[in-house]
């Protein structure tokens, strides 16, 4: 006779009040917490432990609550935008053309051409291609998307984890291109930006908000990727998968594994992001070996 299965497993309990069941969790560390232990944040809600650390890191001069200065600045997003623009400016200067910047030496050296990675060992292309763009329209579209998605994602995850998710998504996009678009020359931040699409969807689920609008937006962009020539569908899908998995690891895995302290929750989250990145890197290396062989 088989054992009975409880169809309604017990809800997680607050990490600070084990006697209180809760369906809520901190959107920064991912640990379950009761309403008494949560405080509203710029995006979502943070537990008192996260707020205490944020307060310890804050500057002595504090902005007046409710003013524009009180909202944390997404400096990592600004930095990524600046880096992309700087690389574009360098390629345009080398090519003596804004519209045909792909004719520059830097573009030639960094564009993701899987066979050149495999045959020449030019691994810089795996990351460098994510900062190249074909002309100003390509750049403007991607930087607008990065600004819209990046600032809220950065506020929820924090700068370090946000950058880790962004770079992991970039690697995921490169891995997909290495396996599935081996005769293409791929460039652009789109793979990493699709990773932010996935990250924002996970954040909405963590906040118990409907992700339908984000899913519709992802679907529309994927249809465009399929419909228009010259767009890297596999780079987009690889970035989407890697960014989504990395963010799930940050926001949900600590709760699933029963993390009781903020430190253990952060360790689990970082380990999850590192795991996704390692898988992406391994896939890139395996693809290069397959091409070379």
């Amino acid at each position: 006779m088989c054992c009975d299965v409880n169809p309604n497993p017990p809800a997680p309990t607050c990490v600070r009040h084990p006697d209180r069941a809760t369906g809520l969790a901190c959107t920064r560390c991912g640990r379950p917490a009761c309403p008494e232990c949560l405080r509203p944040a710029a995006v979502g809600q943070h537990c008192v432990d996260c707020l205490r650390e944020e307060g310890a890191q804050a500057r002595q001069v504090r902005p007046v609550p409710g003013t524009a200065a009180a909202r944390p600045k997404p400096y990592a997003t600004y930095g990524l935008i600046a880096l992309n623009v700087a690389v574009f400016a360098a390629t345009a200067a080398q090519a003596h053309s804004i519209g045909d910047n792909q004719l520059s030496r830097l573009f030639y050296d960094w564009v993701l051409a899987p066979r050149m990675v495999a045959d020449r060992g030019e691994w810089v292309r795996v990351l460098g291609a994510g900062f190249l763009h074909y002309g100003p329209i390509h750049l403007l579209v991607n930087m607008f998307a990065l600004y819209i998605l990046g600032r809220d994602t950065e506020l929820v995850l924090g700068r370090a984890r946000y950058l880790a998710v962004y770079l992991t998504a970039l690697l995921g996009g490169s891995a997909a291109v290495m396996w599935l678009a081996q005769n293409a020359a791929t460039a652009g931040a789109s793979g990493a930006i699709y990773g932010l699409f996935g990250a924002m969807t996970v954040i909405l689920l963590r906040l118990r908000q409907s992700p339908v609008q984000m899913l519709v937006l992802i679907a529309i962009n994927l249809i465009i990727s399929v419909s228009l020539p010259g767009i890297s569908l596999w780079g987009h899908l690889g970035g989407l998968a890697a960014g989504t998995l990395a963010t799930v690891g940050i926001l949900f895995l600590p709760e699933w594994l029963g993390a009781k302290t903020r430190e253990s929750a952060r360790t689990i989250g970082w380990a999850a992001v590192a795991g996704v990145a390692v898988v992406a890197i391994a896939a890139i290396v395996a693809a290069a070996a397959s091409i070379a062989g």
Side-chain angles (χ1 to χ4, degrees):
M1 182 175 181
C2 65
C3 300
D4 293 333
V5 177
N6 183 359
N8 298 308
T13 58
C14 174
V15 293
R16 294 172 61 87
H17 302 98
D19 58 326
R20 301 180 187 176
T22 180
L24 304 175
C26 174
T27 53
R28 190 170 182 85
C29 69
R31 296 182 301 157
C34 66
E36 181 181 335
C37 295
L38 293 171
R39 301 291 185 273
V43 179
Q45 52 198 4
H46 294 175
C47 66
V48 292
D49 293 328
C50 288
L51 289 174
R52 187 178 297 112
E53 180 179 346
E54 293 166 11
Q57 295 175 349
R59 296 180 181 271
Q60 294 298 322
V61 179
R62 297 180 179 178
V64 178
T67 64
R71 182 179 174 89
K73 301 296 183 182
Y75 290 119
T77 297
Y78 295 158
L80 288 172
I81 292 173
L83 182 56
N84 278 275
V85 172
V87 171
F88 179 82
T91 59
Q94 287 184 354
H96 303 288
S97 172
I98 294 178
D100 292 323
N101 65 301
Q102 73 273 12
L103 300 178
S104 72
R105 181 67 194 185
L106 179 60
F107 203 104
Y108 177 81
D109 288 340
W110 281 12
V111 68
L112 182 54
R115 296 191 179 280
M116 298 185 77
V117 174
D119 296 339
R120 302 183 184 181
E122 296 175 351
W123 299 104
V124 67
R125 297 176 183 273
V126 170
L127 285 176
F131 297 93
L132 297 173
H133 290 87
Y134 287 100
I137 301 301
H138 188 203
L139 175 70
L140 290 173
V141 170
N142 275 349
M143 293 306 98
F144 177 74
L146 175 55
Y147 174 72
I148 297 299
L149 291 166
R151 33 179 204 173
D152 285 344
T153 306
E154 181 179 346
L155 290 176
V156 173
L157 300 181
R159 289 172 192 155
R161 292 186 297 181
Y162 163 71
L163 288 172
V165 168
Y166 185 92
L167 293 175
T168 298
L170 195 160
L171 288 171
S174 294
V177 169
M178 289 290 296
W179 275 106
L180 301 167
Q182 295 179 351
N183 295 318
T186 304
S190 301
I193 291 170
Y194 267 75
L196 297 185
F197 276 120
M200 185 54 63
T201 302
V202 175
I203 289 170
L204 290 173
L205 292 171
R206 177 77 277 179
L207 294 175
R208 298 182 179 275
Q209 297 181 11
S210 173
V212 171
Q213 290 185 341
M214 188 60 62
L215 292 174
V216 170
L217 188 59
I218 292 172
I220 291 173
N221 278 275
L222 289 177
I223 291 172
I224 294 174
S225 299
V226 173
S227 303
L228 297 180
I231 296 181
S232 177
L233 173 63
W234 295 116
H236 292 175
L237 290 175
L240 176 64
T244 301
L245 289 173
T247 310
V248 167
I250 291 172
L251 295 183
F252 283 97
L253 193 59
E255 178 182 340
W256 294 341
L257 295 181
K260 295 300 183 182
T261 66
R262 187 177 182 281
E263 290 71 22
S264 63
R266 290 182 66 86
T267 299
I268 292 170
W270 275 110
V273 176
V276 176
V278 167
V279 169
I281 293 171
I284 291 169
V285 173
S290 175
I291 295 170

